Amino acid sequence: MARGYGKVILFGEHAVVHGRPALAASLGRGVQAQAVPSKTGDRLSIDPWNHHVAPDPDSHDALARAFAALLTHVRHDRAPLHVHAQVQLPAGAGLGCSAALSVAVGGAIDELLEQSMGEEEEIGRSLAWERIFHGTPSGIDSTMALGRGLGVFRTGHAFERIACRVPLPLVVAHTGIASPTKDMVGAVNRFSEQDPEAAKGIFDGMAAIVDNGRLAARAGDLSALGGLMELNQKLLNALLVSTDELENLCARAREAGALGAKLTGAGGGGCIVALAPDLKRAGTIADALRGHATEVFTTEVGVPPGKVRP
Ligand code: PMV
């Protein structure tokens, strides 16, 4: 069984598409996939969604196009295969579901063909898939989908893993509104074209937040991290990617004791992430958000590899 991991961006989404760093953590939950020989040609089944496709670069179905793009990175002298995927993440929610799917599907094919790929090749294969859904992905989702833990991503640079002094207790809550990353990235591109000075200021501000976030994570300074999340959310709001629903969930999380809360991922819908002082308080915050969000879960990130909790 192959796995791809979801992710949560703590600082720097959108700015990362414009060359700045972002700080993110892999989630314990993601996608599991298995490939078996097929008698009817290549197939991909996302079983929980009852969505079944054959690879087709010209299909109106983006999943069929993405599967075709991924298979261009798989050797052609092979028998047909059928990949079955189990998804534990909401799609279009800013948690990197699509990249997790691509990494799990690619990994399942590797397992069946008894081949292994280097990380760079795995990321390249995932990006071929991601371009179908996202247009110009920074690569953060594909990198985090490999289950890299917590660290700083910057396009074209090696992933910088951060050893956190303490695990970070998080609450993730979904507005229930699906938001295509491609549309949100396009909206930020337009913002940046119309007001390049303002956009530069916002992106540079987020880069400074990432630099401070790196230090605070290393030191295990949760209240500093919470404050930086608040600042990052203000900058995301200034970029016009936040919504009333996201702001309301952030406010409820703060009222329930969160040290900081912000949208995570592309915005326009999707999820918020809130930082709790400890796991017990994370449970209280999660309880306060239930009934106002379609899905709520708690998790710890920054824990050593092999101990990531779903
Ligand atoms: O919404 P998601 O999970 O696809 O996260 C996207 C993060 C962005 O910075 C908005 C886009 C990107 O490619 O980095």
Side-chain angles (χ1 to χ4, degrees):
M1 189 71 79
R3 294 185 63 112
Y5 298 86
K7 64 92 192 44
V8 65
I9 298 180
L10 291 175
F11 308 116
E13 49 272 271
H14 286 292
V16 70
V17 179
H18 297 265
R20 305 323 191 268
L23 196 153
S26 301
L27 291 171
R29 60 176 67 199
V31 178
Q32 295 190 344
Q34 191 160 27
V36 293
S38 164
K39 291 197 177 75
T40 53
D42 291 328
R43 293 278 183 280
L44 170 61
S45 292
I46 316 289
D47 292 321
W49 301 345
N50 200 17
H51 194 160
H52 311 276
V53 296
D56 180 355
D58 302 316
S59 174
H60 65 277
D61 185 332
L63 191 66
R65 296 202 304 278
F67 189 36
L70 185 141
L71 287 176
T72 62
H73 290 249
V74 176
R75 68 169 206 259
H76 299 293
D77 59 332
R78 58 171 177 83
L81 48 83
H82 190 159
V83 186
H84 293 271
Q86 304 293 331
V87 182
Q88 305 161 319
L89 289 170
L95 300 180
C97 179
S98 148
L101 197 46
S102 70
V103 166
V105 168
I109 294 171
D110 290 343
E111 281 181 3
L112 180 70
L113 302 181
E114 295 181 341
Q115 65 184 24
S116 65
M117 274 198 162
E119 279 199 354
E120 289 312 312
E121 280 175 297
E122 263 192 273
I123 291 172
R125 184 171 61 185
S126 167
L127 279 171
W129 166 296
E130 283 286 273
R131 280 188 200 101
I132 303 291
F133 289 103
H134 289 186
T136 54
S138 64
I140 190 168
D141 287 13
S142 297
T143 300
M144 303 314 295
L146 298 179
R148 292 284 195 82
L150 184 142
V152 173
F153 170 88
R154 188 171 190 176
T155 305
H157 293 67
F159 182 74
E160 177 197 337
R161 192 171 172 130
I162 295 174
C164 277
R165 178 156 293 184
V166 293
L168 311 183
L170 300 179
V171 184
V172 177
H174 188 5
T175 57
I177 300 163
S179 170
T181 303
K182 203 174 193 168
D183 296 354
M184 300 311 294
V185 168
V188 172
N189 283 341
R190 284 193 295 282
F191 181 106
S192 176
E193 278 157 26
Q194 280 160 14
D195 196 341
E197 279 300 302
K200 184 179 179 306
I202 292 171
F203 298 149
D204 288 345
M206 288 197 198
I209 288 173
V210 170
D211 283 343
N212 285 288
R214 178 198 278 113
L215 297 175
R218 276 199 199 121
D221 189 340
L222 297 187
S223 67
L225 284 170
L228 292 166
M229 286 168 77
E230 292 296 312
L231 278 177
N232 197 147
Q233 176 60 16
K234 288 194 171 68
L235 293 179
L236 287 163
N237 206 330
L239 265 188
L240 308 175
V241 295
S242 193
T243 64
D244 287 350
E245 292 82 0
L246 288 162
E247 295 294 334
N248 284 338
L249 284 179
C250 288
R252 282 181 195 281
R254 280 177 215 123
E255 278 160 26
L259 299 169
K262 61 180 278 292
L263 69 85
T264 186
C271 290
I272 66 143
V273 58
L275 178 68
D278 51 53
L279 261 190
K280 187 161 174 278
R281 196 74 73 86
T284 313
I285 297 165
D287 288 344
L289 295 178
R290 281 194 188 96
H292 304 281
T294 53
E295 193 176 342
V296 182
F297 65 89
T298 61
T299 186
E300 273 188 319
V301 299
V303 293
K307 289 195 180 166
V308 181
R309 291 176 204 173

